[in-house]
Each structure stands twice: as C-alpha cells, then as structure tokens.
C-alpha cells in the first residue's frame, strides 16, 4: 500500500466504531450495568452540581467533567450523546497510537502504513473497543495515558525542558482524573524509561571521553565479570535486544543497571532532573491519597488493595489469546531465523567471544544444544514451581466475580473451580504463554551475522573512528535489508513487567479492563518482523491483516452476544441481562 494511503486505516476504524455505536444505540436504550452509575453522575455534573457524589463510583470524575465541558459547548447530556463521547474517543485514540508507532517504525519500509495499520488493530482490541459504545471510563482514560506517553518522547518538547515538564505534569494529572492506576504508567513507567535514557547517555559520554578502558587488565569484555567491570567503570550498559535475550540476560541487565547507578552517583542529580515531572505526579497522587483517606473513591469496602500475585499469571493467556496471529507469526520467524542462523554458524569460524555471554552461539554444536535445552527445561520447571506456589497460597476470588454471571470472567473462574486440580493444571499454560508473549517483544531475533557483528559487540576504541559510529550495548539494532530498525531492549521489558505488576497485583478483582494498558504498551513494542525473503507481500503485512481479522471476529462475536443473546434473572423478571467483558 502507498505511504499516502494510510488514511484508509482510521477511516476503517471510524466505520467500525460508527456501526458498533449505532447498533448499541438502536438496541440498548437504557443504561446498562455500571452505566447506571456513570450516566447518573454525568447528569448531576451537567446540572452544575459538583458536590453530589455517588458512593458506588470508585474512579475519579474525569469522564463527567469532560461531559460537562462538552455540554457547555452545546452537546447534550442524554444517554446516546454521552455514549458518543467514547465512540469519538476510540477514533481519536488512533492518533497518539499512530504517532508513537510512526516514531517506532521510522526506519522501517512503509513505516506510515505499518504504524497506521497497527494503530487500527490496537483500537480494535476487544476489551477496549467494546466499551466505545457504552459510557464507561476506559476509552478516554486510555487515550489520555497514550497522549502522556507520546508527549514524554516528543522530540520538539525535549528541546524545551521547562515547557516539557509542565506539559507532562498536566497530562499526567489529567490521566489521574480518569483512573487512579494510571499513575503507574504516566509516572512510574515513564520515570523508569527516563532513568535508563540518562544512564545510556552517561555510558556514551564515558566512551567518547575515552578516559577509562573498556575493561580492567585481566578482565575480558566477553565474560560476565568483564562485562560487570565495564559497567562499574561506566563504559557498558548491558541492555540487549529483547528478541534475542534469555533469562540470564534479564538478570545481567538488572545487575548492570544497579551497578551503573551505584558507580556513577554523580549522575543521580541528572536522573532526578530528567524524571522530575514524574516525581511531581507521584507527589500529587500521594497528596490525593492522604486527602481521600485511600486510593479508591466511594465504595472502599469492596475495593481494598491487597497482594494478588496470580493476576500476573492470568495476564499471559489474556495477551496470547487476543494476539494469536502476531505471536504465531513472530514465533514462525524465530524458528526460521534459528535454523538459518545454525546453518550459517556451522560454516563460520568464530575467533572472538561476543560481549554478551548468553548470546553466544548456543546452537553451533549438538552438545551445546543439549546443554541449552536441559538448562531451559530446568528454568521452565522452576517457573512452574513458583507459579504453583502463587496459585496455591495467593489465589483470590472476589465475591463480585462469583456473583455476576453477565461477565465472561465468571465463566473462566467457573472452569477453574470445576475441580480442585484444574487451577494447578492451568499453570504450565500460564508459563508457556508468558514465554510466547515475552519472546514476541521486539520482533524477529537477529540472524547469525548480526549476532556476531557490531549489533551486539561492545564498542572498542578505534583511533580513526568517528564518535557517531561508536555503539554501546544499549543501542543495539536489527537489520532489515539495508534499513536499521531499533530493537526493544531488555531494560524496557523489565520496566514494563514492573509497572504491569504494580498495576495488577494490588487488585483483588480480576477484570479484563485492568489489562488494557499493559496489553497496549506490549503491542506497541512488537516491531514488525523483517521479511523472510523479498516478496510483494512481506510477512509483517499478512500478520497485521490476520490480526485485524481475528480482532474483528472477536468483536463481532461478543457484540452479537451482547445485543441479541440476552436473558433474565428469576429474581428480576422483565429486566434484560446481557453478556459483556
């Protein structure tokens, strides 16, 4: 598709959102489920009464304030008009997604078309798209978070620190006005990324000065000890491409970050200044919690924060289910790259050791392959054991989950509670899904030539080398023909995992909508795979269209069930009940 035809994707989104909104408007005339509380509160705000609050509502009043402002601008405050806020919101959510992805794919051929199509698919994400025709907080809340993430990395604002800080604080506070857990994404997540960027810049400065050798005498840069010594001297930040990383790479990245922060404490002030907007947002949120007497507004008794570790186990099949075409497509290319790399390596005589020990050529010999497989099997069993402990000692089934058969989660837990053994038998599936999901981040693994090339090789002092040609462990790239595509790195995955954990494990209630932003941030960093071979239709194209078809199928199915497969409760005769996320 032509670069100039990318507008087709937002047009397709507008059609889908319009059809879904019109179907709901025609069929569902009264507020449904939580809409009853949201619409009633919005009408109170439209009447100019800002002191009356429904105690059943637990989220901040951002959506009602927005409806009030639109009401002042001449928009009505009736049910169809209030729902139209989200129908418009899902369309405008495409804009920050497109801008974020365009920057991600800037060196990818057909970058605009890929970005536009991926943004469409993210907007069609069923637990998000479904509520675009109902008056819930999720759509606009997600849109504001995405704008905040885009503004953080906007290059124009980076040249104006004061204005950038003010804009980020305002965007962050706006996100908090829609949902409290947004603080983790606009503050914690953004602060983590900002801190890593400062450390990467510090490493680059150390290398440019050339005042410290890469490793001390007696330490090789190709060993774990040598790499950690280089980290201590500020010349290495161990941060490899996620698409080529193993478990030990993540451990090494954590150790590298901790050592680097400890060894260059003089940059602590720089880090604090870089993440000052996020620190300000956290302080504002803390003041709100103190003033409110807790995180939750309204009904605090049924939303008490607790530790619920299995939430992180439920995340993986959730992501895997909605992203089946993407995961299968990238896994297929991983398998192809694996066999292709092994064939190349068997013909190559490697004289030097790469900087990253666990990225060594593990499939070069049959003996190495056996050791690799046995090591991965032990690691797999270890994760299963830890997951079994979490399921056994920390499974929480909220009363709301078992009391309401209108939600799909009710039926998921009905299956898990069929027999005492079912929840334990599900654990291997959680771990396998986690492996697939994490392995998909960053796209296709580098081939043999890139593993042994400058993509992951430490920078060395070249007398005649220009500074711009120097490369750190953190600035790895992935080749696609003659283009160079930035890879998502292990530091990002760690920050994403930490933020997702903070978002989920404090919630006792398992709710599909809680996973929306974690899924979106993950999906934003699944880079389009490099084509296996030159062809008119590269694999990334059919993967995206397969994903579109899959998401539309899910939306069509759940939409039909919601509109036409209704039922009644015996205790509430004449009241229509509908299935939803």
């Amino acid at each position: 598709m032509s670069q100039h035809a990318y507008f087709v994707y937002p047009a397709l989104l507008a059609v889908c959102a319009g059809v879904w909104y019109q179907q709901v408007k025609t069929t569902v005339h009264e507020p449904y489920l939580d809409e009853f509380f949201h619409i009633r509160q919005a009408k109170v705000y439209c009447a100019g009464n800002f002191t009356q609050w429904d105690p059943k509502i637990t989220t901040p009043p951002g959506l009602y304030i927005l409806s009030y402002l639109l009401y002042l601008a001449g928009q009505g405050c009736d049910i169809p008009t209030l729902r139209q806020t989200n129908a418009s919101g899902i369309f405008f959510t495409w804009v920050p997604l497109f801008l974020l992805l365009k920057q991600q794919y800037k060196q990818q051929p057909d970058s605009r078309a890929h970005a536009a199509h991926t943004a469409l698919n993210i907007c069609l994400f069923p637990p998000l798209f479904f509520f675009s025709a109902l008056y819930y907080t999720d759509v606009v809340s997600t849109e504001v978070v995405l704008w905040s993430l885009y503004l953080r990395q906007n290059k124009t604002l980076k040249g104006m620190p004061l204005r950038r800080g003010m804009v980020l604080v305002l965007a962050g506070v706006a996100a908090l006005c829609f949902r409290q857990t947004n603080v983790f994404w606009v503050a914690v997540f953004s602060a983590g990324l900002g801190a890593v960027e400062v450390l990467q810049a510090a490493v680059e400065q150390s290398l440019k000065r050339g005042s410290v050798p890469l490793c001390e005498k007696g330490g090789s840069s190709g060993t774990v000890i040598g790499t950690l010594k280089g980290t201590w001297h500020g010349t290495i930040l161990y941060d490899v491409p996620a698409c080529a990383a193993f478990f030990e790479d993540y451990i090494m990245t954590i150790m590298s970050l901790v050592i680097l922060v400890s060894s260059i404490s003089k940059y602590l002030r720089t880090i604090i200044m870089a993440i000052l907007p996020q620190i300000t947002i956290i302080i504002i949120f803390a003041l709100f919690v103190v003033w409110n007497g807790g995180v939750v507004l309204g009904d605090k008794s049924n939303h008490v924060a607790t530790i619920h570790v299995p939430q992180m186990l439920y995340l993986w099949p959730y992501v895997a289910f909605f992203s089946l075409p993407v995961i299968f497509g990238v896994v297929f290319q991983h398998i192809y790259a694996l066999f292709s790399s092994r064939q190349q390596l068997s013909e190559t005589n490697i004289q030097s050791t790469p900087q990253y020990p666990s990225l060594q050529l593990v499939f070069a010999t049959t003996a190495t392959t056996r050791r690799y497989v046995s090591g991965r099997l032990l690691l797999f069993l270890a994760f299963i054991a830890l997951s079994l402990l979490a399921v056994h000692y920390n499974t929480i089934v909220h009363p709301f989950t078992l009391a309401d058969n209108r939600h799909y989660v009710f039926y998921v837990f009905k299956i898990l509670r069929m027999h005492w053994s079912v929840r334990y038998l599900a654990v291997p599936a959680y771990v396998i899904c986690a492996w697939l999901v994490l392995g998909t981040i960053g796209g296709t693994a580098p081939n043999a030539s890139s593993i042994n090339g400058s993509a992951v090789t430490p920078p060395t002092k070249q007398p005649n080398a220009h500074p711009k040609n120097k490369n750190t462990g953190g600035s790895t790239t992935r080749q696609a023909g003659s283009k160079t595509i930035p890879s998502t790195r292990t530091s990002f995955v760690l920050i994403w995992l930490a933020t997702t954990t903070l978002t989920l494990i404090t919630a006792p209630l398992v709710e599909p909508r809680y996973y929306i932003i974690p899924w979106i941030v993950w999906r934003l960093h699944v880079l389009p795979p490099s084509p296996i071979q030159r062809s008119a239709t590269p694999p990334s194209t059919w993967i995206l269209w397969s994903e579109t078809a899959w998401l539309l199928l899910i939306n069509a199915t759940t939409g039909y069930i919601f509109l036409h497969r209704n039922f009644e409760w015996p205790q509430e005769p004449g009241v229509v009940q509908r299935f939803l996320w």
Side-chain angles (χ1 to χ4, degrees):
M1 179 176 289
S2 169
Q3 285 289 318
H4 303 289
Y6 65 90
F7 62 85
V8 170
Y9 300 106
L12 179 58
L13 175 62
V15 170
C16 293
V19 169
W20 174 231
Y21 168 77
Q22 196 61 38
Q23 290 294 314
V24 172
K25 179 183 177 182
T26 304
T27 308
V28 186
H29 305 288
E30 298 297 325
Y32 185 68
L33 214 61
D34 289 357
E35 271 195 318
F36 177 79
F37 308 108
H38 293 311
I39 290 176
R40 185 171 63 184
Q41 187 64 45
K43 290 183 176 181
V44 169
Y45 271 51
C46 287
N49 186 354
F50 302 103
T51 58
Q52 180 180 338
W53 185 258
D54 191 327
K56 292 294 183 181
I57 297 175
T58 60
T59 50
L63 183 62
Y64 321 128
I65 294 172
L66 175 61
S67 297
Y68 172 70
L69 295 175
L70 293 173
Y71 175 74
L72 293 180
Q75 183 172 294
C77 210
D78 55 285
I79 295 173
T81 306
L82 290 173
R83 287 173 174 170
Q84 197 172 9
T85 304
N86 281 335
S88 303
I90 195 68
F91 176 77
F92 288 112
T93 299
W94 181 89
V95 178
L97 286 169
F98 173 69
L99 294 173
L100 283 164
L101 288 161
K102 188 174 69 169
Q103 190 165 341
Q104 279 274 93
Y105 298 170
K106 60 185 177 182
Q107 293 173 312
Q108 165 79 5
D110 299 327
S111 59
R112 285 178 176 265
H114 278 299
H117 196 165
T118 304
L120 164 68
N121 288 351
I122 293 175
C123 288
L124 291 176
F125 181 53
L128 179 67
F129 182 82
F130 182 91
F131 292 100
S132 66
L134 298 173
Y135 193 66
Y136 275 62
T137 61
D138 304 276
V139 173
V140 182
S141 172
T142 301
E143 180 186 356
V144 177
V145 169
L146 290 171
W147 275 115
S148 177
L149 295 178
Y150 168 71
L151 291 170
R152 192 199 74 83
Q153 63 184 55
N154 182 270
K155 290 185 177 181
T156 303
L157 286 175
K158 283 186 177 181
M160 300 175 287
L162 180 60
R163 182 180 298 182
R164 177 177 183 268
M166 294 174 63
V167 168
L168 289 180
V169 170
L170 289 174
V173 172
L176 295 183
C177 289
F178 289 91
R179 191 177 286 276
Q180 295 93 322
T181 52
N182 287 345
V183 69
F184 296 122
W185 297 101
V186 300
V188 177
F189 178 73
S190 296
L193 296 180
V196 170
E197 289 171 1
V198 171
L199 294 176
Q200 289 170 342
V203 169
E204 290 174 3
Q205 288 299 319
S206 296
L207 291 170
K208 287 178 180 179
R209 287 196 302 269
S211 56
V212 180
L214 182 63
C215 292
E216 286 186 332
K217 185 177 180 180
S220 168
S221 65
T223 66
V224 172
I225 300 299
T227 301
L228 295 180
K229 284 182 178 180
T231 300
W232 177 260
H233 288 299
T235 59
I236 293 177
L237 172 55
Y238 190 95
D239 198 2
V240 301
C243 58
F246 298 129
F247 176 73
E248 53 265 40
D249 291 301
Y250 290 98
I251 302 299
M252 284 288 291
T253 300
I254 294 172
M255 294 172 64
S256 180
L257 289 170
V258 172
I259 292 173
L260 198 58
V261 171
S262 303
S263 64
I264 55 173
S265 55
K266 59 184 177 180
Y267 291 104
L268 186 60
R269 181 177 179 275
T270 307
I271 293 175
I272 292 174
M273 292 302 297
I275 65 173
L276 190 58
Q278 289 77 30
I279 294 174
T280 304
I281 294 170
I282 292 173
I283 292 173
I284 292 172
F285 181 72
L287 292 174
F288 159 76
V289 172
V290 172
W291 169 80
N292 184 56
V295 174
V296 176
L297 289 168
D299 188 12
K300 295 182 175 65
S301 60
N302 286 312
H303 296 83
V304 179
T306 185
I307 300 299
H308 190 189
V309 176
Q311 287 271 30
M312 286 301 293
L313 299 180
Y314 307 144
L315 169 70
W316 309 116
Y318 176 96
V319 174
F321 171 74
F322 290 113
S323 306
L324 278 177
V326 176
I327 290 175
F328 284 157
V330 176
V331 166
F332 171 74
Q333 294 214 348
H334 270 293
I335 295 172
Y336 181 89
L338 172 64
F339 285 100
S340 175
S341 298
R342 186 172 180 178
Q343 182 177 359
Q344 292 179 44
L345 293 173
S346 64
E347 302 170 356
T348 304
N349 181 23
I350 306 301
Q351 300 296 332
S352 59
T353 305
Q355 176 188 359
Y356 305 117
S358 58
L359 289 183
Q360 290 181 19
L361 313 176
V362 294
F363 295 101
T365 66
T366 305
T368 306
T369 302
R370 286 199 297 268
R371 289 196 298 271
Y372 169 81
V373 171
S374 62
R376 297 306 110 180
L377 180 60
L378 290 174
L379 189 62
F380 178 75
L381 294 175
F383 276 114
I384 285 183
L386 292 173
S387 301
L388 286 170
L389 290 173
V391 167
H392 182 76
Y393 290 105
N394 197 223
T395 296
I396 298 174
V397 183
H398 197 281
F400 286 0
T401 302
L402 300 179
D404 196 339
N405 66 344
R406 294 170 294 185
H407 294 279
Y408 294 121
V409 173
F410 171 88
Y411 300 95
V412 173
F413 274 89
K414 187 175 181 181
I415 294 173
L416 291 175
R417 291 165 60 87
M418 287 175 57
H419 188 268
W420 67 267
S421 62
V422 175
R423 60 175 180 167
Y424 300 109
L425 293 174
V427 166
Y430 298 152
V431 177
I432 292 172
C433 287
W435 174 71
L436 291 172
V437 170
L438 292 176
T440 306
I441 291 181
T444 311
N447 58 24
S449 59
S450 66
I451 289 177
N452 190 40
S454 61
V456 293
T457 302
T460 55
K461 291 181 65 178
Q462 300 292 339
N464 300 321
H466 192 278
K468 289 184 179 180
N469 295 327
K470 291 183 178 181
N471 190 11
T472 67
S475 57
T476 52
T477 56
R478 170 165 79 88
Q479 303 298 321
S482 61
K483 300 287 184 179
T484 302
I485 306 170
S487 289
T488 301
R489 289 170 283 187
T490 49
S491 61
F492 166 82
V493 179
L494 291 169
I495 295 168
W496 174 76
L497 283 172
T499 309
T500 301
T501 301
L502 290 172
T503 304
L504 296 178
I505 68 167
T506 54
L509 181 64
V510 179
E511 173 70 68
R513 292 177 294 151
Y514 294 169
Y515 298 84
I516 289 176
I517 295 181
W519 181 87
I520 289 177
V521 175
W522 169 83
R523 184 62 187 87
L524 282 169
H525 290 81
V526 177
L527 297 176
S530 304
I532 292 177
Q533 56 188 8
R534 295 181 180 181
S535 60
T537 306
S540 53
T541 301
W542 65 257
I543 289 174
L544 286 174
W545 280 114
S546 298
E547 182 184 29
T548 304
W550 175 244
L551 296 174
L552 286 174
L553 176 63
I554 297 173
N555 282 320
T557 303
T558 55
Y560 174 80
I561 292 173
F562 175 75
L563 295 173
H564 304 295
R565 303 293 291 181
N566 46 63
F567 63 100
E568 294 182 6
W569 283 341
Q571 64 271 30
E572 294 184 14
V575 179
V576 176
Q577 308 296 342
R578 304 177 186 275
F579 297 100
L580 77 171
W581 294 107

